[in-house]
Amino acid sequence: SQQGEEDPQALSIQEGENATMNCSYKTSINNLQWYRQNSGRGLVHLILIRSNEREKHSGRLRVTLDTSKKSSSLLITASRAADTASYFCATENYGQNFVFGPGTRLSVLP
Amino acid sequence: EPEVTQTPSHQVTQMGQEVILRCVPISNHLYFYWYRQILGQKVEFLVSFYNNEISEKSEIFDDQFSVERPDGSNFTLKIRSTKLEDSAMYFCASSPRTGTGNTIYFGEGSWLTVV
């Protein structure tokens, strides 16, 4: 079954730096989405990228998708302490349900 | 902004007891989901529901679990005879449609602790 796998598992950076998280998956997908989860809270949708797209931007977020490598990256620019959270990628394959990766725990130090 | 709401936010139950987790999806959404997240682990799909019936379920969703949409607004997950390993955060989610570009909106979750 398809599966998103994020790396690194944990990332610690200083405020103002950029944070890059990667996601790899195994099978063809329809789209890939990134979610954020603050500790003990729900999942907040960040951005969706379709399989025919290569890059999308939303505010300080930049997502890329390379379907030939079956991978995606999430870049958070000019990080803030409030960006501290876990970030998950989720893949969808043509009507099948979302499969989440294990997530990257991002810590932004003030 | 409309949101998915879940109750209770936290429940502690004795092993073997039945638990019902409740969800109110976003009002114009047609597809409903339950996911769970064991502490520190990934979010796992349990079941999807459309047109008053289960459309897909994972191998986790065995006979111990059931879902119901008892009225026009609520969507419930029932866990019969809870086990210690059922301790997790359970997320309800809804979406307006399925297919290309579908975004699933999640609730804040219900923490279930089985003791």
Side-chain angles (χ1 to χ4, degrees):
Chain A
S1 60
Q2 62 180 350
Q3 187 173 33
E5 294 284 344
E6 294 93 340
D7 79 85
Q9 291 185 338
L11 179 62
S12 185
I13 59 173
Q14 293 293 129
E15 207 165 24
E17 293 180 340
N18 295 341
T20 299
M21 291 160 270
N22 302 296
C23 169
S24 60
Y25 55 92
K26 297 178 181 177
T27 63
S28 297
I29 61 169
N30 184 32
N31 66 67
L32 185 145
Q33 304 190 34
W34 284 91
Y35 285 82
R36 164 197 167 121
Q37 183 184 35
N38 285 13
S39 181
R41 304 293 300 275
L43 294 153
V44 176
H45 182 258
L46 294 177
I47 198 164
L48 176 153
I49 187 165
R50 294 181 172 81
S51 60
N52 61 352
E53 298 176 313
R54 292 296 167 259
E55 187 172 312
K56 282 191 82 169
H57 296 255
S58 176
R60 292 184 296 113
L61 305 180
R62 173 177 167 252
V63 168
T64 63
L65 179 64
D66 186 336
T67 53
S68 66
K69 296 181 179 178
K70 293 186 169 57
S71 68
S72 173
S73 67
L74 170 67
L75 168 68
I76 304 175
T77 61
S79 62
R80 305 165 183 168
D83 294 328
T84 295
S86 290
Y87 292 82
F88 296 88
C89 69
T91 53
E92 181 194 9
N93 182 17
Y94 298 99
Q96 294 181 16
N97 291 291
F98 285 93
V99 177
F100 284 82
T104 293
R105 294 186 307 279
L106 174 66
S107 299
V108 182
L109 306 174
Chain B
E1 185 175 333
E3 57 183 22
V4 176
T5 57
Q6 292 185 238
T7 55
S9 56
H10 189 199
Q11 182 162 353
V12 180
T13 189
Q14 295 255 330
M15 191 168 54
Q17 295 295 305
E18 177 182 284
V19 163
I20 297 177
L21 305 178
R22 292 183 167 82
C23 169
V24 179
I26 296 173
S27 63
N28 62 343
H29 285 188
L30 301 176
Y31 296 84
F32 314 114
Y33 310 83
W34 284 100
Y35 285 77
R36 81 171 185 190
Q37 184 181 32
I38 295 171
L39 186 64
Q41 298 187 24
K42 68 171 69 175
V43 178
E44 300 174 292
F45 168 72
L46 292 179
V47 65
S48 59
F49 192 87
Y50 170 70
N51 199 26
N52 285 318
E53 61 182 24
I54 291 172
S55 52
E56 190 175 347
K57 61 182 181 179
S58 72
E59 57 189 27
I60 302 171
F61 193 88
D62 59 20
D63 292 343
Q64 180 194 10
F65 294 89
S66 62
V67 289
E68 192 177 35
R69 188 160 163 79
D71 53 42
S73 60
N74 291 287
F75 179 52
T76 62
L77 174 68
K78 181 188 290 185
I79 309 174
R80 288 182 283 273
S81 189
T82 50
K83 298 175 276 193
L84 294 177
E85 54 265 37
D86 294 327
S87 295
M89 176 80 100
Y90 288 81
F91 291 106
C92 175
S94 69
S95 66
R97 64 188 186 283
T98 189
T100 302
N102 179 36
T103 294
I104 295 182
Y105 297 86
F106 286 83
E108 287 289 317
S110 293
W111 271 111
L112 175 65
T113 303
V114 182
V115 297

